[in-house]
């Protein structure tokens, strides 16, 4: 008799409806983008975005990005920037791996969008679209090192050079420096007074483990 292999239990995370973020570090979103080198070898890129400031926190380029690697890349960002209240992702294999599911409880709330509904992770989907149109589709990468260099250069332009209309024509880094916690209208000068205290970028928030 052949025993049937049990399927994986789906990772649920939190399932509450998501409202728009109103502070830095309130919500990060993350996703993968794939491309190929000139000789046909595939590589992937892990992107993490702060949904409020639109800042790209990292772009990790490699041929393999496992769940263990996802955790390893998250930890230094949390140490330097503080813990987000919520992380949003799809249900990809790496993001529902044992390594991720063991790391999450007691550290951060994690929201998995519904399968087949990328619109529920709209901030990172918009970022991915820009990355592909403005960088990946514009270059033929001869090596992994070149891909890392060009993606890093594009990320610097995205964060520090290019104005974003959603941030009142500021770059994400200008928005973080000048705006703090408030909405884009304050950055544009329409708010009469600060609407929130400055962001606590170095504060670690450790919620109770979710069920």
């Amino acid at each position: 008799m052949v025993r049937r292999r049990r399927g994986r239990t789906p990772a649920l995370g939190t399932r509450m409806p998501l409202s728009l973020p109103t502070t830095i570090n309130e919500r990060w979103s993350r996703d993968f983008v794939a491309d190929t080198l000139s000789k046909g070898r595939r590589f992937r890129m892990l992107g993490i975005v702060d949904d409020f400031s639109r800042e790209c926190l990292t772009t990790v380029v490699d041929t393999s990005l496992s769940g263990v690697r996802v955790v390893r890349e998250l930890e230094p960002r949390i140490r330097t920037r503080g813990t987000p209240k919520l992380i949003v992702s799809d249900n990809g294999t790496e993001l529902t791996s044992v390594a991720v599911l063991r790391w999450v409880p007691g550290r951060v709330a994690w929201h998995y969008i519904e399968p087949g509904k990328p619109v529920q992770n709209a901030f990172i989907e918009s970022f991915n679209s820009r990355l592909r149109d403005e960088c990946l589709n514009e270059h033929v990468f001869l090596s992994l090192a070149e891909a890392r260099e060009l993606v890093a250069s594009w990320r610097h332009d995205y964060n520090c050079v290019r104005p974003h209309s959603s941030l009142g024509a500021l770059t994400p880094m200008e928005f973080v420096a000048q705006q703090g916690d408030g909405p884009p209208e304050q950055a544009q000068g329409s708010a009469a007074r600060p609407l929130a205290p400055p962001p606590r970028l170095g504060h670690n928030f450790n919620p109770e483990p979710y069920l």
Side-chain angles (χ1 to χ4, degrees):
M1 179 178 176
V2 178
R3 297 181 61 183
R4 296 182 62 185
R5 184 177 180 181
R6 296 177 59 185
R8 291 184 62 190
T9 301
L12 296 179
T14 60
R15 285 297 190 186
M16 70 287 193
L18 295 179
S19 58
L20 290 176
T22 58
T23 64
I24 293 169
N25 274 7
E26 181 175 341
R27 190 170 80 210
W28 294 359
S29 58
R30 55 187 311 143
D31 198 9
F32 294 96
V33 177
D35 207 336
T36 57
L37 301 177
S38 60
K39 294 184 178 180
R41 188 181 186 187
R42 290 178 59 81
F43 68 88
R44 304 180 74 198
M45 193 209 76
L46 169 66
I48 305 177
V49 171
D50 185 302
D51 289 355
F52 178 67
S53 68
R54 311 301 198 271
E55 179 188 356
C56 174
L57 306 181
T58 188
T59 48
V60 182
V61 178
D62 214 329
T63 53
S64 177
L65 293 169
S66 64
V68 172
R69 181 70 179 276
V70 168
V71 171
R72 198 169 74 207
E73 296 297 339
L74 262 177
E75 290 180 335
R77 275 78 197 175
I78 289 175
R79 284 197 298 269
T80 58
R81 187 183 176 90
T83 305
K85 293 181 180 179
L86 182 69
I87 294 176
V88 182
S89 77
D90 62 19
N91 291 269
T93 304
E94 300 85 353
L95 301 175
T96 58
S97 66
V98 172
V100 171
L101 297 180
R102 286 179 175 174
W103 178 83
V104 166
R107 289 184 172 89
V108 64
W110 197 298
H111 178 94
Y112 290 100
I113 65 173
E114 296 179 61
K117 294 188 177 180
V119 69
Q120 294 180 359
N121 205 4
F123 288 98
I124 194 68
E125 290 295 330
S126 175
F127 171 82
N128 288 347
S129 178
R130 287 188 176 189
L131 171 65
R132 185 164 297 282
D133 290 344
E134 299 170 7
C135 182
L136 301 183
N137 289 348
E138 293 296 315
H139 299 283
V140 176
F141 303 108
L142 301 179
S143 66
L144 192 62
E146 183 181 46
R148 288 169 173 161
E149 180 180 353
L150 290 173
V151 169
S153 177
W154 180 88
R155 174 176 169 247
H156 173 79
D157 180 81
Y158 173 90
N159 279 337
C160 304
V161 178
R162 182 189 319 165
H164 292 233
S165 59
S166 59
L167 302 178
L170 298 175
T171 68
M173 297 310 297
E174 289 173 337
F175 184 75
V176 169
Q178 297 182 20
Q179 172 64 17
D181 273 7
E185 303 90 79
Q186 186 179 343
Q188 298 173 34
S190 60
R193 58 183 176 83
L195 302 181
R200 301 170 67 184
L201 298 181
H203 177 66
N204 283 330
F205 179 82
N206 290 311
E208 295 295 325
Y210 61 85
L211 300 177

